Amino acid sequence: MSAPAYGHPLPDPDVVRTDDGWIAYGTGPRTADGRAVPAAVSPDLRTWEAVGEVLEALPEEAGESYWAPEVCERDGAWWMYYSVGHGDRGHHLRVARARTPRGPFRDQGVDLTPGELFAIDASPFRAADGSWWLFFARDVLDAERVGTHLAVAPLPEPTRIGEVVPVLAPDADWQIFARDRPMHGGVHDWHTLEGAHVLEREGVLFLSYSGGSYQGAGYRTAWAWARHPTGPWNRPADGEDILLATDETTGLIGPGHNSFTTGPDGEDVIAFHAWDPERTGRYMHLRRLEVDPRGPGLRVVD
């Protein structure tokens, strides 16, 4: 069986390298003392210590569900991108700032996606040319496969995005979240792509994303590649695009919503969550990642 890297649930893990090790952020509800976003730190990616909730939550009317935080360092500060809403409804992207990666992060009073029906899973990315971009997932109704699609926008300032550009739309039945799902005033066979995260090697951008329903064993993580954040994005052949899927051999159930980091020796590492056997929580796992910009190719190594 595959053992989690950290002994407490930490859905949607974003693992970030810092001056003194690594810090992992995850999805978590608003606590009674007005905090959100659980985090843990590690000196070596093997041992982890909880540091509590690192985001100062918004007033209760904004929502109780704080989803999929991702953090980057920019302009002498640390910036957290996250969504907040009520359950699985009403989410929009927001940004918070801190002086250190341990916080406290304070919301900057900006709704980054006021024109979207629903937006989650913001992932900041700095390209090799120094430009900043924000990848995220958003609901799209006027599509062949209705549901949550992937998009990107320039991030010229930490608190402002530019024109939104579509990245990937659902293209397969394994990406169905639920059939006959009531959403936005209609009923749809709802597809979901979410959890985008990007790394760049030798001018090739590798995008990972998850699809389907995070609640079940059908949840998977796939990848695509491009030479610019706005694409065109290329999917590998069917089957070759899957990075992570439920595996009886390893015991991983519904692995997905990953981030990338580098290990102690500079090796590429993928962090993702998977359900425990009793389905009581989603726990963080770490694996080595093989990146081939010549192929291009991307592969998780057990």
Side-chain angles (χ1 to χ4, degrees), residues 112-163:
L112 293 171
T113 54
E116 300 289 348
L117 291 171
F118 177 91
I120 58 172
D121 299 356
S123 182
F125 167 69
R126 187 184 185 188
D129 65 5
S131 62
W132 282 91
W133 302 82
L134 192 69
F135 288 83
F136 63 97
R138 62 175 181 164
D139 284 1
V140 177
L141 302 181
D142 57 342
E144 180 179 350
R145 292 180 182 258
V146 173
T148 307
H149 297 208
L150 299 181
V152 68
L155 192 63
E157 302 170 7
T159 59
R160 180 172 64 88
I161 67 172
E163 182 179 357

Side-chain angles (χ1 to χ4, degrees), residues 78-293:
W78 293 82
W79 303 89
M80 175 183 289
Y81 296 86
Y82 69 98
S83 75
V84 61
H86 297 276
D88 63 354
R89 304 300 162 108
H91 280 254
H92 282 263
L93 302 182
R94 302 190 65 90
V95 57
R97 183 183 186 275
R99 288 183 294 176
T100 77
R102 296 193 186 202
F105 286 87
R106 295 185 173 92
D107 187 87
Q108 298 299 288
V110 179
D111 179 350
L112 293 171
T113 54
E116 300 289 348
L117 291 171
F118 177 91
I120 58 172
D121 299 356
S123 182
F125 167 69
R126 187 184 185 188
D129 65 5
S131 62
W132 282 91
W133 302 82
L134 192 69
F135 288 83
F136 63 97
R138 62 175 181 164
D139 284 1
V140 177
L141 302 181
D142 57 342
E144 180 179 350
R145 292 180 182 258
V146 173
T148 307
H149 297 208
L150 299 181
V152 68
L155 192 63
E157 302 170 7
T159 59
R160 180 172 64 88
I161 67 172
E163 182 179 357
V164 177
V165 177
V167 168
L168 285 179
D171 70 340
D173 284 352
W174 69 263
Q175 298 154 0
I176 293 175
F177 182 93
R179 294 194 181 276
D180 298 324
R181 187 185 190 198
M183 289 291 289
H184 304 303
V187 178
H188 310 276
D189 286 344
W190 194 265
H191 298 69
T192 293
L193 300 185
E194 61 186 12
H197 199 89
V198 174
L199 64 79
E200 183 174 0
R201 293 290 183 273
E202 299 178 19
V204 178
L205 277 61
F206 294 88
L207 169 95
S208 62
Y209 62 94
S210 295
S213 171
Y214 74 92
Q215 300 165 322
Y219 199 56
R220 306 178 193 174
T221 295
W223 67 281
W225 66 275
R227 296 192 179 275
H228 189 271
T230 60
W233 286 92
N234 306 280
R235 284 182 164 104
D238 288 348
E240 296 179 9
D241 62 330
I242 302 301
L243 279 177
L244 295 162
T246 294
D247 187 336
E248 293 183 1
T249 302
T250 61
L252 292 177
I253 302 172
H257 201 123
N258 74 277
S259 61
F260 300 124
T261 190
T262 55
D265 298 321
E267 70 276 21
D268 289 301
V269 174
I270 183 172
F272 59 93
H273 72 232
W275 288 98
D276 63 325
E278 294 75 29
R279 309 283 183 97
T280 63
R282 290 172 287 163
Y283 289 76
M284 181 175 71
H285 294 253
L286 302 174
R287 292 287 187 280
R288 189 163 56 88
L289 187 73
E290 286 187 353
V291 184
D292 177 14

Side-chain angles (χ1 to χ4, degrees), residues 40-98:
V41 293
S42 173
D44 53 14
L45 289 184
R46 293 189 298 273
T47 58
W48 292 85
E49 178 184 358
V51 293
E53 282 72 25
V54 297
L55 173 67
E56 294 181 354
L58 295 169
E60 292 184 8
E61 56 266 26
E64 76 292 335
S65 297
Y66 287 76
W67 285 4
E70 289 209 12
V71 172
C72 66
E73 185 179 15
R74 180 179 179 181
D75 300 338
W78 293 82
W79 303 89
M80 175 183 289
Y81 296 86
Y82 69 98
S83 75
V84 61
H86 297 276
D88 63 354
R89 304 300 162 108
H91 280 254
H92 282 263
L93 302 182
R94 302 190 65 90
V95 57
R97 183 183 186 275

